[in-house]
Amino acid sequence: MASDGYAYRRAQMVEALERYGIRDQRVLDAMRLIPRDFFVPEAYRHAAYSEDVSINIGEGQTISQPRVVAAMTEAAGIGPEDRVLEIGTGSGYQAAVLARLARFVFSIERIAPLAREAKGRLDALGIENVSIKVMDGTLGWRALAPYDAILVTAAAPDVPEPLIEQLVDGGRLVLPVGARETQVIRVVERRGERYETTDLQGACFVPLIGRHGWRGKVE
Ligand code: SAM
């Protein structure tokens, strides 16, 4: 997939992720393959493989640091037959990584131009198992639920109830929860009618804006 001048930088990024503590080989392999440089604006390509750098992608939004992408993807424990929902398509990079691991990825973005550009990148890379929709992702994508895993890549004030409801039994929701500026990455695992919660690490995401998120305009 990535026959470019960045393969060495990508391999170095993956080594850094291993030193950081990422152990899941499937996640590391996916990130070794997906060309992150293709998902960032040209002016920032030099920084695309720094494992701890988030990058502006326009519309006031960012592509998350590779170590955050890796940690959240690992925590989601995705299997090859899984159907995964992502909230916050952004550049499309996280969706591309998920697409290597899962059967199907459904990704929701509230800003139409970002969704359009992300779709163009995934198409250009020949990634066919991702569907993108423009709407308020805090409501989930009920028509296609339930999901084996749900990743939210924007910061929520609380765990959005509709997302919990759209998990299969045994499914995992991974999301940053907390204040508008700093959060903790939380894993919520559904066990029948009970939910087990584990907090992973600190994070600093842009806000999740919507009915079950922070207030703001949803397109
Ligand atoms: N996963 C993305 C990537 O790989 O580039 C990065 C996501 S960026 C940190 C957060 C994204 O969440 C932004 O594109 C923002 O517009 C989107 N967002 C915020 N609130 C949303 C909502 N209610 N529904 C869908 N997307 C939302």
Side-chain angles (χ1 to χ4, degrees):
M1 176 182 289
S3 58
D4 54 80
Y6 286 101
Y8 180 65
R9 298 280 303 279
R10 205 157 32 246
Q12 282 185 316
M13 175 191 78
V14 170
E15 280 174 23
L17 292 175
E18 285 181 291
R19 283 195 298 279
Y20 177 64
I22 305 302
R23 292 282 167 268
D24 187 328
Q25 281 307 318
R26 291 184 70 235
V27 174
L28 294 168
D29 286 347
M31 293 184 70
R32 197 176 281 114
L33 198 74
I34 303 296
R36 188 171 186 260
D37 54 279
F38 190 60
F39 290 83
V40 305
E42 209 161 337
Y44 298 118
R45 293 231 160 113
H46 63 280
Y49 294 105
S50 302
E51 90 279 5
D52 199 18
V53 174
S54 65
I55 294 174
N56 293 332
I57 55 170
E59 307 281 349
Q61 306 303 323
T62 56
I63 174 173
S64 307
Q65 301 94 316
R67 51 162 81 168
V68 173
V69 172
M72 289 181 71
T73 309
E74 184 172 65
I78 293 161
E81 296 304 320
D82 283 359
R83 300 168 74 258
V84 177
L85 177 67
E86 179 198 21
I87 316 300
T89 314
S91 69
Y93 176 72
Q94 170 80 76
V97 170
L98 293 171
R100 294 292 307 174
L101 303 171
R103 167 70 66 197
F104 215 91
V105 179
F106 305 92
S107 187
I108 305 176
E109 172 55 57
R110 63 179 276 271
I111 300 176
L114 290 181
R116 228 178 2 254
E117 286 165 26
K119 170 93 174 78
R121 293 187 189 103
L122 296 171
D123 286 350
L125 292 173
I127 296 172
E128 294 177 342
N129 57 337
V130 178
S131 283
I132 298 176
K133 185 164 177 163
V134 176
M135 61 176 179
D136 175 8
T138 68
L139 302 171
W141 192 335
R142 204 173 282 280
L144 301 175
Y147 305 98
D148 299 288
I150 302 177
L151 278 87
V152 182
T153 61
D158 282 304
V159 178
E161 197 61 35
L163 299 185
I164 294 260
E165 292 165 6
Q166 292 175 37
L167 279 177
V168 299
D169 192 6
R172 292 154 310 278
L173 167 63
V174 183
L175 78 171
V177 186
R180 241 182 131 109
E181 294 78 21
T182 58
Q183 312 87 32
V184 65
I185 294 177
R186 183 160 295 167
V187 183
V188 182
E189 188 159 2
R190 180 172 192 169
R191 300 232 173 260
E193 292 312 303
R194 288 188 316 110
Y195 296 93
E196 280 173 17
T197 296
T198 315
D199 285 347
L200 280 188
Q201 62 188 68
C204 184
F205 275 81
V206 294
L208 179 74
I209 294 173
R211 181 151 351 140
H212 298 269
W214 296 97
R215 291 172 65 153
K217 180 171 169 283
V218 174
E219 299 182 356

